[in-house]
Structures are given as C-alpha cells and as structure tokens.
Amino acid sequence: MQITVNGTTHEVDVEEDMPLLWVLRDELGITGVKYGCGIAQCGACTVHIDGEAARACQVLAADVWGPVTTIEGLGTPKALHAVQAAWIEHQVAQCGYCQSGQIMQAAALLAETPAPTDDDINDALSGNLCRCGTYPRIRAAVKTAATRLQEG
Amino acid sequence: MGRIAKIARRSFLVGSVAVAGGVAFGIYRYRSPYPNPLLDELEPGAAALTPYVRIDAGGITLITPRADMGQGADSVQAALIAEELDATLDQIHTDPGPPDRAYWNTALSEEAAAFTAPGDGLMNSAVHGTIDAVMKFLGMQITGGSTTVPDGFVKLRQAGASARETLKRAASEQTGIALDRLSTEAGAVLLPGGERIAYTDLAATAADLEVVQDVPLRDPSQWQILGKPMRRIDIVAKSTGTQDYGIDAAVPGMVHAAILLNPAQGGELRGHDASAALAMRGVSAVVPITGGLGIVADNTWRAFRAARAITADWGPSPFPAEMDAHWEALSDAFTEDRQDSRKRDDGDVEEVLSAAAPLSAEYRAPYLAHAPLEPVNALVRVDEEAAEVWTGTQIPRFVQQNVARIAGLDPDQVTVHALMIGGSFGHRLEDEVVKRATEIAAQMKGTPVKLTYSREEDMTHDFPRQIAMARMRGAVRDGRVEALDLSLAMPSVITSQMRRQGQSVPGPDSQIVAGAFDQPFGIPHHRVTGYRAAPLAPISSWRSVGASSNGFFYNAALDELIDAAGADPMAERLRLCNDPLARAVLEAVAEMSGWDGPAPAAGRGRGVALTQSFGVHCAEVVEITDTPNGIRLDSVWCAAEVGRVLDPVNFDNLVKGGVIFGLGHAMNCEITYADGRAEQDNFHSFEGMRLRQSPRIEVRGLENGDAIRGIGEPPVPPAAPALAGAIFAATGTRLREMPFSKAVSFL
Ligand code: FES
Ligand code: FES
C-alpha cells in the first residue's frame, strides 16, 4: 500500500492492521514519532493526518486517510515551525520523549484555534502525558506560539 | 597515554591524552593500595584518565561519562567546563558515542556516580546510595552523596581551567609570544594584535605539553555562563524530533524482539505453546529467557503481537500473591526483632507518652511504578569474542559485567554505548532489559537484537517504589507539639536492588528512615525508628527513594499534632525549626504564598510541608479548592536551599516537574498485586497528573548554604503532605493513605 509522509510517498508492504506508528518507526525509520503506551493514553505518537492530530498507535495502516506529517515534517532545526521555536524559547523539554507528541498536538490546536483560551489548551493537550511534568512550560509555550503565529 | 607528572599530593590531577588530531583533558585516577574492582585492570600505581573534554579538528567535545535522563546533566557539565575553558556553550557538543577504547577502562561507574551537577538530581543520589553501599561493603572509600556534588563541581571547572592554560601555553610555543600577553575568549587564544588562534588549531601541540595544574578557579562573580539562564544543548533536538533515544537505536542487520514474562513477576515458565506465534508474519524465533520467552521478529509490532499469541503455563509469584498479605507483613514488622535503626531519640518519648493518652495514627504508601515515558529497551549483539550494547543506562559498569557474564565473555570484551534516556526516575538503575536482550542475542550470535518492552511488560515488571507503613504516637501541650514518636516499616530497597547485582549490603538501610529521622525540627521528645519488613515484591529506588514515602508520613503526623495543639501548620513548623537554612526555606514559601495574609475563602484550603532530603531543605505550600466536581489544585509555592543555582531555567523546570511528579502520584497512582500480578499495566490505570490538573507553580531557589546540591529529587517528598494538608484545611478529611483518590476525588 502507499502512504505519504512529510511529502514523500512510500510503498509499504505491511499488514492492514499494523498501526501507523510502527509503519513509521520500523518500516520507514521515521523515529521522531514515539511509542509510549500503544493504547491512546499518552499521546507520544501524535502525528497529523490531513492536518488533523491523530494517535498513530490507533490508526491502522489501511485506514490512513490522507497525507501524514510527523514532527520531522512540521519543521526542522534549520527551519523551525513557530510551535517548535516557542518550545525552544521556553526550554520545555526535560527528557523530551513526550515532546514530539505535545508539539504536534499544539500545532494542530493552533491551526484550528489561533487564539486558544486556557480551557482550549487544557482540552487539547490533556491527552498528552508528560511524565517529567513539563506542563507549566507547555502552557506558556503554546501561548507564545499563538502570539507569534498571529503576528504572522 | 599522556604524561603524568609526579604524583602530587592532590586529591586529583588534571591529565591529557593525545587523540587523533588533538587532545583530551580529564582527571586521573590512581589505583590505590586498597583493591578497587572498578580499577582492577590497572597495575597498582597506574593511572587511568577519565576524559571530560576533547579538542580536535572536529571541535570541542564534552565526553559524558553517562547518559542524560532528562535532567540536563549534559548541559550543566558542559557549562562547568566551558566557564573555565572560555568556550561558548554552542561551541561544545557532547559525545553520544562510546568512550574511546583508550579510556574505557577508567572507573566508569565510579565516575558515573561521582559526578552530580546541581540541577542534575534525578536519582543520582540513589546512585550514590547504591554505589556507596556496595563500596562500603567492598571495603572501599568513595565519596558519598553529600560530598560528591561539590567534588564534581570543582573537578569539571578544574579540567576546563587546566585545558585553557595548557592551550595558551601551546599558543605561546607556536607563536613565540610570552604567556602573559595571551588571553582566551570563545574557544580561541587571543594574541596581543587581536589575532585569534582557535583551540582546535592548538590541540595537537597541546597534547605534547605538560598539563598546567592548580589553576585558580574563577570567583562566581566573574561567571559568564554559570548561574545565568542557559539554553540546554539538547533543546533543539528535543523540540524537533531529532533527538535519538535508546528506543531509536538501529544498526544494520538488526532484528526486533519482544518479551513475554510471567505476569507474576519472578515466577517460572512451566510450559508454553508458541506455534501460533511462530506462524505469524515476520516472526523468526521464540526463545527461552529467564522468567519467560523472547520473541524475535522483523518489526516491533509483529513481535508484540506474536507475544500475545503465545499460551503459557506460569508458576506462582515468589512473593505474597495478594495485597492483604503485603500490608500484614508491614504491620507485623513493628517489632524489636525487625528494628533496623533508631537514628533519632531525643528527650524521653516513653515517659511523655505514657503520662497521657497519646494521639496515634497509621499511614500507608503504596507500590509505585517508575513508568518513564520511554519503555525500557536495549540493543545487543553477541559475537564469539565480543559483545556490543546500545542502551540508556545509569549503571554502565554493571551492564558491562552482566552482559559479559551472560554471554560468557570478559567484561573488557563488552562495549557499552550509553544512549539518551526518555526519563528514568530510577528505572534505569536496573538493567533487566539488557540481561534479557543479551539472553536472546546469545542464542543468535552475530545478529543485533533490539528488545523493546511493551508498556504493559514495562509496568508490570517494573521493580516499584517500596510499599511502606508508619505509626505515629504523639502529644501536645500548651498549644505546642511536645512529643512525636514515628515508627516506619518497609522492606529494604537497597537490599532488593543490590541483590539483583549479586551484592549483599550489610547493616541498616538508611533509606528506611530517610526523610524522617533527619528533619530540622526540635520537637522536645522525638524518636524515629525504622523497621525492616520481610522482602515482598522486588523493589527499587524511585525518585527520592525512602523520603518519597517518609516525607509524607512525617509531615502528615506533624500536621495532626499541630492541629491537636490548635496551632497553625506554618507557625508551629517555624517555631520548631532548628536549622537556619530550613527556616529560610519555610519563610520563603510563607511569603510567596501570602500565608499570613487573609485566610483562604470557604471551600479553599492551604497546606504546607518541608522535607530535608539529599541535603536539600525543600518546602511547599499547596492551595486547593473543593469544587462540586472534585478537588482542584490551584497553586503551589516551592522553595529549596541548594547552595547555588547553576542554571536557573533548568532548575525551575526540574523543581516544577518534581512537584508535579509528587502530586500526581499522591493523587491517583498505585501498583497493587492480585494473584501475584500487578493490576495496573498502562497509563489508563496508572495515570499521574494531566495538564488540565496541573496547578500554577512558583519556584524559588535559595543560596544561603555552602554546599552545591542537586534538585531532581527533593521537591518530590513534600508535595504529597502539603496537598494532604490543603485537603484537610478545605474539607476536614484527614488523609493517611496514598493515593488520595481512595478517599477524595480530584477534578
Ligand atoms: S503511544 Fe499512542 S497514545 Fe501512547
Ligand atoms: S519531557 Fe519527559 S515525558 Fe515529557
């Protein structure tokens, strides 16, 4: 089957029920997307499908409904996405393992809701677990990113 | 090997070693007359260099003796070197690869334990505790937790300073310009005319020079990097998905493996049927390993799926199958026979408590999983004559020895690559995953095997935080706390942990009373007794170790007495406080939280706790609201005395993380056993705190003390009791057992 990730179309030969997470990580070697729980409880595997945040551990290969963007496709160290830039400015990461998912979730939120309220942020990001407890910085970074994006 | 000057009567000596196209600076360690198994490859009197910084054509590289777990250790180490070296942080990269063979045989795990930078706290103290215990057992003296921090703090700067002066000397030789006319800046030596020679161009010359020793260290007032906000060197990688962790390691020809372990941890595998698994796509082998099976496939998910297709007949757990028996074992441990220590016995507790009917209460703390977000994993290849390991570990030396033993090799035939860790909280002080991966790899020599635990295997086969129980008796008089007799019972963490490394640890386990016997309160009649319960489920060091449960017990007991005395929790703590550093910490949170201002409105409540752990006094005030939908955490104020804050941003982040860690587990986490099996196996049943529950947190680092301390662990112990105090103030519900969700609900 064919799957488009970060603008490149790949031909993959996998079971229809292999979760997208493992297609990305083990078949395509795209490892910015992380495995944390496998049951939609942690958000470490969050990617965008057709611009929408999705848990890659819950989307089966056969069901991928559009082009996939992973953290690597959102921005790069040389060309940062505004959310990534805000994450760096606030030095959000500790171990960093959850942060790909946090950033992808935040980017999807801001694409839909450019000026999120505290409740919007709580609703959008509470499914993303951070075991290191970086939540205060995540909140601050989302707000900074929102401001920057609105300034253009 | 580089030159070693006469063995000076110094505690250490900065040395150098020539490396391809450059030079590495580090600290020499000598094999002393006392046998040191960590240095036993060396002849007596011979020296091994532990390099800290390498300068060559590739630039300036910090060689990290161990992996970073998220606490920013790499950055702080780099900053300590850079401050004296006169390099900027963006000029320094860290070496993610293996240590060079030339210095691999240096005291790796000693070094791993011996360096703790401020802001680099996560579980390091536990490493110290462990290593310290082993070293004492082996009749060796190594510096313990409280002194190794300043030790590393000095050594890294000294290495940087010696390197700088040696590079200047190299510049002087190359140019013929007198030494005193040279200066250094941003990775280069400046000549009088303003011309710059980069360190990288001087490295080869410097390798031939005697290293300049005893360079005076700069006064903190001159610091350019330390003490100021720094950008962590891993922050861009960790914000762009480009940071590789152990779980991302890949080498050519690698296969993926999963495990299926007896759900009753430590029980045997009596029989199994893997035929369905072996028929599945991509599955190449199912092999026996300790306590279960290894499943080898060409993709992690295929291995996970095949593991679920195996039917097995499991033996029972070697520890009590049901929780009642665990609690009973603790309850039965409060006997003279089982007394492990009585490190505090002030006044005459018995007399005071026999005079009047004492207040009494019992407290409980559950098993807790470490559950860092990256499940444990290890990539291992075993060949006939060598083995190679890629994994995130805090105990590389044990890993090396264990892999060697399982693979039938000598330790020096095993190369360990310590990779970035996606959180630890003590989890990576264990190396079961490496042992299991090695068992699989040894059955398929030459093939690199990457074993990834599923979240379920990781959580149910964790060695959790100790289960613990406390009993308090106390008395009050004239509005004051008069007597506190606290008895603490738990199995020994250190014994359980070290047994897995083939070590026994004699003597009392100080962690049984840590966070309780040594608190800065002058209660007139005060006794703290530790009781060692029989071993139950295997346990391990969990962020702040004994203090994680004892900090709650101590403060909760104190709160009950203060309440009985009719006193204010803050005012009475301040009155009892007998340590000026601790007092300043309490005063700070009182001021930050406006404790003396207007009382919280109806339905709101505030609690305070202070725990001294790992040499750090840390106080927290928690404020909550009792809403119709449950308890809402509004604000936390936290102050800690750490001597010196080296990186204010990282400090703030680590403290907030520690507060959230302490609160989240106190709210809703426990591991319980039924039929010998852990009942919680993923984040739906072991949740911790979510972003929406996360309170506003304000942090202050105090710098009144002399010692430099790590901050990873100390914010954890006071979080739970401060929350319990706030809930009591708002609702009148006294919480004596964690998690609190057993008695109250949270928003
Ligand atoms: S791995 Fe997908 S939500 Fe946790
Ligand atoms: S930074 Fe470690 S889990 Fe979020």
Side-chain angles (χ1 to χ4, degrees), chain A residues 21 34-46 55-58 127:
Chain A
L21 169 64
K34 298 300 189 214
Y35 165 63
C37 71
I39 60 163
Q41 290 295 309
C42 78
C45 64
T46 305
R55 303 285 188 245
C57 71
Q58 297 302 304

Side-chain angles (χ1 to χ4, degrees), chain A residues 6 17 57 77 89 100 105 147 151:
Chain A
N6 301 331
D17 60 345
C57 71
E89 184 180 331
S100 294
Q105 191 71 40
T147 312
E151 288 165 1

Side-chain angles (χ1 to χ4, degrees), chain A residues 13 26 34 91 95 135 139, chain B residues 230 245 248 281 300 689:
Chain A
D13 170 23
D26 284 10
K34 298 300 189 214
Q91 303 219 47
C95 84
Y135 300 132
R139 280 204 183 109
Chain B
M230 316 174 193
Y245 298 83
D248 304 318
R281 178 175 168 186
T300 310
M689 191 182 284

Side-chain angles (χ1 to χ4, degrees), chain B residues 163 471 583:
Chain B
R471 289 182 180 160
R583 166 173 290 275

Side-chain angles (χ1 to χ4, degrees), chain A residues 92-99 102 129-134, chain B residues 373 422-423:
Chain A
V92 174
Q94 285 186 31
C95 84
Y97 194 78
C98 72
Q99 301 298 347
Q102 306 277 7
L129 200 60
C130 176
R131 291 288 294 159
C132 297
T134 62
Chain B
L373 202 55

Side-chain angles (χ1 to χ4, degrees), chain A:
Chain A
M1 67 187 79
Q2 286 199 336
I3 168 167
T4 302
V5 185
N6 301 331
T8 306
T9 301
H10 304 267
E11 182 66 40
V12 291
D13 170 23
V14 297
E15 296 86 330
E16 297 204 331
D17 60 345
M18 182 182 289
L20 173 62
L21 169 64
W22 298 108
V23 179
L24 293 170
R25 286 186 55 81
D26 284 10
E27 301 295 317
L28 300 177
I30 298 169
T31 56
V33 54
K34 298 300 189 214
Y35 165 63
C37 71
I39 60 163
Q41 290 295 309
C42 78
C45 64
T46 305
V47 297
H48 296 172
I49 305 177
D50 228 354
E52 220 179 288
R55 303 285 188 245
C57 71
Q58 297 302 304
V59 178
L60 306 185
D63 297 340
V64 176
W65 62 86
V68 176
T69 306
T70 69
I71 182 87
E72 292 95 334
L74 186 73
T76 63
K78 295 220 149 60
L80 296 168
H81 183 274
V83 172
Q84 293 171 319
W87 244 248
I88 291 167
E89 184 180 331
H90 287 273
Q91 303 219 47
V92 174
Q94 285 186 31
C95 84
Y97 194 78
C98 72
Q99 301 298 347
S100 294
Q102 306 277 7
I103 289 168
M104 295 308 282
Q105 191 71 40
L109 165 69
L110 295 180
E112 191 134 297
T113 313
T117 63
D118 286 352
D119 282 346
D120 292 335
I121 295 172
N122 283 344
D123 290 345
L125 280 145
S126 286
N128 289 69
L129 200 60
C130 176
R131 291 288 294 159
C132 297
T134 62
Y135 300 132
R137 282 185 155 66
I138 290 174
R139 280 204 183 109
V142 172
K143 289 185 177 163
T144 298
T147 312
R148 294 286 146 71
L149 280 167
Q150 281 183 308
E151 288 165 1

